[in-house]
Amino acid sequence: MTPSDLDYQRAVDLLVAGELVALPTETVYGLGADAANPAAVAKIFAAKGRPADHPLIVHLAGHDAVDHWAEQVPDVAWELMETFWPGPLTLILKKQAWVPDAVTGGQDTVGLRVPGHPVALELLRRFANVKGEHAGIAAPSANRFGRISPTTAGHVAEELGERVPLILDGGPCKVGIESTIIDCSRGEPVILRPGHISPVHLEAVLGRQPAVETAAGAPRVSGSLEAHYAPVTPLRMVAGERLLDFINAQRHRGGKCAVISANQPPQAGMPHAWRLMPADPVGYAHDLYAALRDMDHAGVDLIVVEALPADAAWVAVADRLRRAVAGAGQA
Ligand code: TXA
Ligand code: MG
């Protein structure tokens, strides 16, 4: 799963030429372009079918590049970088004046992240060797707009096919859901998108758990749109205690359903397909998008997800599933 020297070379050549390259990160696969080249960045929006006012995350090889992209970086942001980079954390900071509107959606802030995947880092380093030490790769998740984020190179090919000239294969993504996004541009840090790095992790640095502000502010964060991460097949959340009745009713109606659950299937009323998920939130997040994608291909009329535990450890997974439910069935 390690790209060859030639693969990296081709990827850098494409990026320098203003073309797109799909790259693995530890969270999900990204669809990358030279972040300083607005024409290249425009190709990302075209390939995804994404509205142009949605800002992108700029991926950097290291902390040293931050000042090139952001100004007035508060101390707390530096502390977060020291602790969590390379890793699944994106910081929203006041942008430098030169940063293209194509990247920021015309806002006065920019999202920055040093990813924790060796292939992404190697590509970023090689790109920076050619373009200059502060070079960045703008990359949203490499899926069509609103759809399920890709966690393997095969998923990217399924989503974008010929629209992307090169997909670097770095194996399955370790984290499986997108980075935690923290806005450090307006005083107290606020979580705009929950992720693998949780409020509890952040408390160790910030001294308190930051507020979560996921619903407000759309479309500043496209991940905050109500409908997102969605399969084509309709999706329902059903409480565990109602699950068996629900499946049986569905079957009597002649509907085929698939279930995603952290529990074993009941003997009676077996649905068409049952995807057994890890019972812990980190494992569940890791498998989530692949499970949604598999069940979307299972030839069923309905995907049923057993409702998740309500506690804080599940917020990131619950956030993705809630939006998947809202966006599902809109082929
Ligand atoms: O884990 C990730 O973050 C993945 C990998 C590829 O790095 N990327 C990702 O990108 O999830 P995307 O575009 O699917 O989601 C990035 C989110 C979007 O919801 C976008 O609106 C938000 O980051 N974002 C980027 N710049 C922003 C800004 N200046 N202010 C507010 N939100 C911003
Ligand atoms: Mg996305």
Side-chain angles (χ1 to χ4, degrees):
M1 290 304 169
T2 312
S4 67
D5 219 44
L6 239 121
D7 293 330
Y8 283 118
Q9 189 54 54
R10 236 192 105 213
V12 170
D13 289 347
L14 283 165
L15 290 171
V16 170
E19 298 298 334
L20 303 180
V21 173
L23 66 150
T25 83
E26 78 282 32
T27 57
V28 300
Y29 274 72
L31 180 62
D34 178 356
N37 179 344
V41 171
K43 292 180 185 171
I44 295 177
F45 291 92
K48 280 187 63 111
R50 185 184 201 174
D53 62 346
H54 286 200
L56 304 175
I57 294 170
V58 177
H59 298 72
L60 303 171
H63 303 42
D64 295 352
V66 167
D67 284 325
H68 184 69
W69 294 86
E71 60 170 22
Q72 302 167 22
V73 179
D75 288 347
V76 68
W78 290 114
E79 285 164 31
L80 291 169
M81 292 176 219
E82 288 298 333
T83 310
F84 297 111
W85 282 1
L89 182 72
T90 296
L91 299 180
I92 307 299
L93 298 162
K94 284 264 178 281
K95 78 173 184 99
Q96 292 285 2
W98 73 270
V99 177
D101 282 346
V103 170
T104 65
Q107 300 180 63
D108 62 354
T109 54
V110 63
L112 300 179
R113 165 164 124 83
V114 175
H117 191 295
V119 173
L121 285 173
E122 182 64 21
L123 177 64
L124 283 160
R125 282 191 208 106
R126 288 179 184 234
F127 182 53
N129 280 342
V130 176
K131 277 286 289 192
E133 56 180 334
H134 306 304
I137 298 178
S141 51
N143 50 279
R144 279 167 301 133
F145 181 63
R147 296 299 175 198
I148 305 167
S149 304
T151 54
T152 68
H155 294 168
V156 179
E158 203 177 284
E159 285 289 319
L160 299 172
E162 301 298 307
R163 293 167 182 215
V164 51
L166 177 65
I167 303 171
L168 285 181
D169 191 345
C173 301
K174 281 205 173 120
V175 172
I177 56 171
E178 299 79 358
S179 59
T180 306
I181 300 181
I182 303 204
D183 189 348
C184 292
S185 72
R186 40 185 180 136
E188 282 293 304
V190 173
I191 298 178
L192 300 184
R193 181 173 70 185
H196 179 75
I197 294 177
S198 69
V200 177
H201 293 129
L202 293 161
E203 187 175 15
V205 176
L206 303 175
R208 58 175 197 84
Q209 295 193 14
V212 182
E213 194 188 274
T214 57
R220 248 198 351 247
V221 175
S222 75
S224 76
L225 293 177
E226 273 315 307
H228 215 78
Y229 317 116
V232 174
T233 313
L235 183 68
R236 283 280 299 271
M237 284 268 229
V238 176
E241 62 273 17
R242 288 187 44 233
L243 192 57
L244 190 55
D245 284 349
F246 186 91
I247 294 166
N248 281 329
Q250 188 70 17
R251 205 175 40 168
H252 286 136
R253 237 179 278 131
K256 266 192 188 172
C257 69
V259 177
I260 296 175
S261 165
N263 297 302
Q264 293 287 348
Q267 281 308 309
M270 275 285 287
H272 186 69
W274 191 281
R275 176 69 176 238
L276 184 62
M277 301 294 281
D280 67 291
V282 171
Y284 196 112
H286 176 271
D287 289 6
L288 174 63
Y289 290 140
L292 285 173
R293 201 172 277 276
D294 287 352
M295 295 300 99
D296 206 14
H297 294 323
V300 296
D301 310 302
L302 181 67
I303 303 169
V304 179
V305 181
E306 181 171 350
L308 304 169
D311 60 283
W314 289 86
V315 289
V317 170
D319 168 78
R320 303 310 190 277
L321 273 174
R322 191 167 51 75
R323 295 175 209 282
V325 168
Q330 299 166 13

